[in-house]
């Protein structure tokens, strides 16, 4: 219902409240998720990390939350559902299908 | 309330552990700003950049009126939230550009961080690359935010704790006949003679990484053709000389 939607929207998202990782060694990823390549961060300062492409691509399917700013003409919804996720062949090869049946 | 550090460490949840209730996020080496322009944004959007007395910024101001600052991001999670909700380059209107630049650097050569620099770029014919360009742009952005472009920074022997990257931003341009992807750098060989060989090596390393790891070509592979260029570097100073500038290719 509309009321439920409003309540959900009012809650701060995990993204807004999550803290910044200060030490990658303190993080344990679930099975199947690889850590950033350690050689990129041999001398890293607190919170200053470099990440390889394979590590970063793992977030693609998980982090879909629309940012809380006006996206205007570049927003996906501005051009309709059929434009959703035109990529990619790069990860699993699966494409998100349109929710408008 | 006293926080038991050991207990707290055990409850660190990434977005992979709990997509809805994660409590830590992955910071980017630098914060970034996405900018956008197209004929549709001209004269319609004022930049949200604070107006300063800086004359170089003032010089860029006329042009900056046509470019829209979209968002600042400083975590991997935020990057993907943005990426998953905006158009890829192949779906952009004609004559549009995305600019992903480090926060505080405006995507113009007049900016202090860019004025002594240059750019690596490649131009790709539109027809052959319509599908491909989205992946190439994504990989370009990932190398930028992951800070893997600059080979100096990825040297495992590196002793400096937090060196400055040479990359200031990346751009994708959609034109009627072609796409162009560019990597902007803070410095360029031949501008200051000091340590020029070292700088040239570092700049060439960025170009090689761009050509082979990001774009997926072989080193030395010939790419120029109708509407296509090599992966080539030119300083902003030489760009102004209209065709007379020295180019580096990899």
């Amino acid at each position: 219902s509309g009321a439920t939607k409003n309540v959900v929207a009012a809650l701060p998202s995990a993204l807004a409240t999550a803290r910044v990782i200060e030490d990658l060694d303190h993080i344990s990823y679930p099975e199947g998720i690889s850590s950033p390549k350690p050689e990129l961060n041999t001398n890293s300062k607190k919170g200053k990390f470099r990440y390889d492409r394979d590590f970063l691509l793992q977030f693609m399917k998980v982090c879909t939350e629309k940012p809380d700013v006006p996206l205007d003409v570049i927003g996906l919804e501005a051009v309709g559902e059929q434009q959703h996720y035109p990529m990619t062949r790069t990860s699993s090869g699966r494409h998100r299908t349109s929710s408008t049946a | 309330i006293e926080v038991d550090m050991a207990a707290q460490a055990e409850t660190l949840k990434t977005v992979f552990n709990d997509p809805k209730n994660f409590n830590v996020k992955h910071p980017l080496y630098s914060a970034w700003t996405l900018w956008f322009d197209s004929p549709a944004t001209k004269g319609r959007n004022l930049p949200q950049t604070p107006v300063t007395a800086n004359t170089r910024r003032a010089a860029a101001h006329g042009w900056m009126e046509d470019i829209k600052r979209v968002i600042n991001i400083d975590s991997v999670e935020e990057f993907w939230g943005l990426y998953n909700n905006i158009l890829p380059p192949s779906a952009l209107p004609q004559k549009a550009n995305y600019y992903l630049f480090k926060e505080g650097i405006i995507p113009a050569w007049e900016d202090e961080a860019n004025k002594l620099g240059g750019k690596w770029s490649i131009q790709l014919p539109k027809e052959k690359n319509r599908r491909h360009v989205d992946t190439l742009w994504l990989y370009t952005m990932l190398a930028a935010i992951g800070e893997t472009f600059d080979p100096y920074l990825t040297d495992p022997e590196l002793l400096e704790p937090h060196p400055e990257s040479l990359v200031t931003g990346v751009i994708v341009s959609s034109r009627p006949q072609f796409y162009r992807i560019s990597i902007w750098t803070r410095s360029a060989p031949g501008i200051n003679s000091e340590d020029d060989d070292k700088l040239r090596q570092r700049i060439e390393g960025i170009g090689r990484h761009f050509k082979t790891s990001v774009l997926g070509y072989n080193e030395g592979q010939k790419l120029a053709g109708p509407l296509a260029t090599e992966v080539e570097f030119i300083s902003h100073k030489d760009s102004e000389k209209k065709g007379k500038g020295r180019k580096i290719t990899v």
Side-chain angles (χ1 to χ4, degrees):
Chain A
S1 75
T4 315
K5 260 186 192 163
N6 287 339
V7 172
V8 171
L11 290 171
S13 71
L15 189 55
T17 55
R19 284 172 302 135
V20 156
I21 294 170
E22 294 186 347
D23 188 341
L24 286 171
D25 293 339
H26 291 166
I27 303 299
S28 55
Y29 296 100
E31 218 185 311
I33 300 293
S34 22
S35 310
K37 279 188 185 143
E39 63 265 33
L40 294 180
N41 295 301
T42 38
N43 245 319
S44 69
K45 227 172 86 172
K46 209 172 163 187
K48 281 276 184 188
F49 308 122
R50 299 198 286 275
Y51 306 107
D52 54 286
R53 182 167 79 206
D54 290 340
F55 174 75
L56 292 172
L57 283 170
Q58 299 174 114
F59 293 77
M60 189 194 289
K61 293 279 155 57
V62 193
C63 299
T64 55
E65 185 181 317
K66 188 175 172 290
D68 192 19
V69 297
L71 292 174
D72 200 19
V73 293
I74 59 169
L76 283 181
E77 67 228 29
V79 286
E81 286 290 319
Q82 79 281 2
Q83 292 284 0
H84 264 274
Y85 303 90
M87 307 207 36
T88 85
R89 301 165 175 174
T90 58
S91 52
S92 67
R94 260 178 294 148
H95 288 244
R96 199 169 266 232
T97 48
S98 168
S99 57
T100 52
Chain B
I1 300 164
E2 259 191 74
V3 180
D4 182 331
M5 294 306 282
Q8 196 185 30
E10 279 166 26
T11 62
L12 296 183
K13 288 180 291 184
T14 70
V15 72
F16 299 114
N17 302 99
D18 190 339
K20 289 268 178 282
N21 297 300
F22 58 98
N23 57 19
V24 289
K25 55 186 173 185
H26 293 76
L28 297 177
Y29 196 84
S30 295
W32 295 79
T33 304
L34 181 75
W35 308 72
F36 170 75
D37 73 354
S38 78
T41 65
K42 284 211 193 307
R44 206 158 60 80
N45 295 291
L46 289 173
Q48 294 154 27
T49 326
V51 176
T52 67
N54 186 312
T55 51
R56 283 190 170 272
R57 283 187 183 230
H61 190 71
W63 178 73
M64 291 306 293
E65 283 179 11
D66 294 333
I67 181 169
K68 183 180 169 58
R69 195 173 78 174
V70 180
I71 192 173
N72 295 343
I73 50 166
D74 59 12
S75 69
V76 175
E77 289 80 355
E78 282 173 297
F79 169 81
W80 285 108
L82 174 66
Y83 176 82
N84 281 320
N85 286 283
I86 60 171
L87 294 173
S90 66
L92 285 180
Q94 299 277 331
K95 297 182 194 167
N97 306 284
Y98 277 135
Y99 312 80
L100 185 65
F101 271 69
K102 287 189 176 156
E103 197 176 58
I105 302 177
I106 63 168
W109 64 263
E110 289 91 340
D111 193 284
E112 287 298 313
N114 294 321
K115 67 176 183 181
L116 297 176
K119 60 174 188 285
W120 280 106
S121 61
I122 186 171
Q123 186 177 300
L124 302 155
K126 203 157 196 170
E127 284 310 322
K128 282 188 208 161
N129 293 282
R130 234 175 250 281
R131 296 225 151 254
H132 204 35
V133 69
D134 295 340
T135 307
L136 299 183
W137 171 237
L138 173 61
Y139 286 3
T140 302
M141 290 193 291
L142 294 181
I145 64 168
E147 210 65 82
T148 53
F149 263 126
D150 189 347
Y152 176 72
L153 292 182
T154 45
D155 183 349
E157 307 288 301
L158 188 71
L159 295 173
E160 214 180 327
H162 171 212
E164 187 172 59
S165 160
L166 279 184
V167 174
T168 60
V170 292
I171 303 175
V172 65
S173 306
S174 176
R175 294 292 177 273
Q177 302 290 321
F178 59 84
Y179 298 107
R180 190 186 305 112
I181 300 178
S182 310
I183 323 299
W184 281 35
T185 62
R186 222 171 259 283
S187 328
I191 303 288
N192 293 318
S193 52
E194 202 184 322
D195 259 348
D196 212 46
D197 278 352
K198 230 185 208 169
L199 177 62
R200 176 178 274 266
Q201 279 176 24
R202 208 171 148 189
I203 292 284
E204 286 180 358
I206 294 175
R208 266 192 298 275
H209 185 79
F210 181 43
K211 182 170 180 177
T212 59
S213 304
V214 176
L215 301 175
Y217 298 112
N218 297 321
E219 202 175 332
Q221 188 175 340
K222 292 278 173 268
L223 305 172
L227 298 168
T229 66
E230 300 292 339
V231 174
E232 56 192 27
F233 182 88
I234 187 164
S235 70
H236 297 315
K237 287 231 157 90
D238 278 353
S239 291
E240 290 179 79
K241 295 176 192 163
K242 301 279 176 210
K244 288 184 179 170
R246 291 151 302 162
K247 286 179 180 168
I248 304 174
T249 55
V250 284

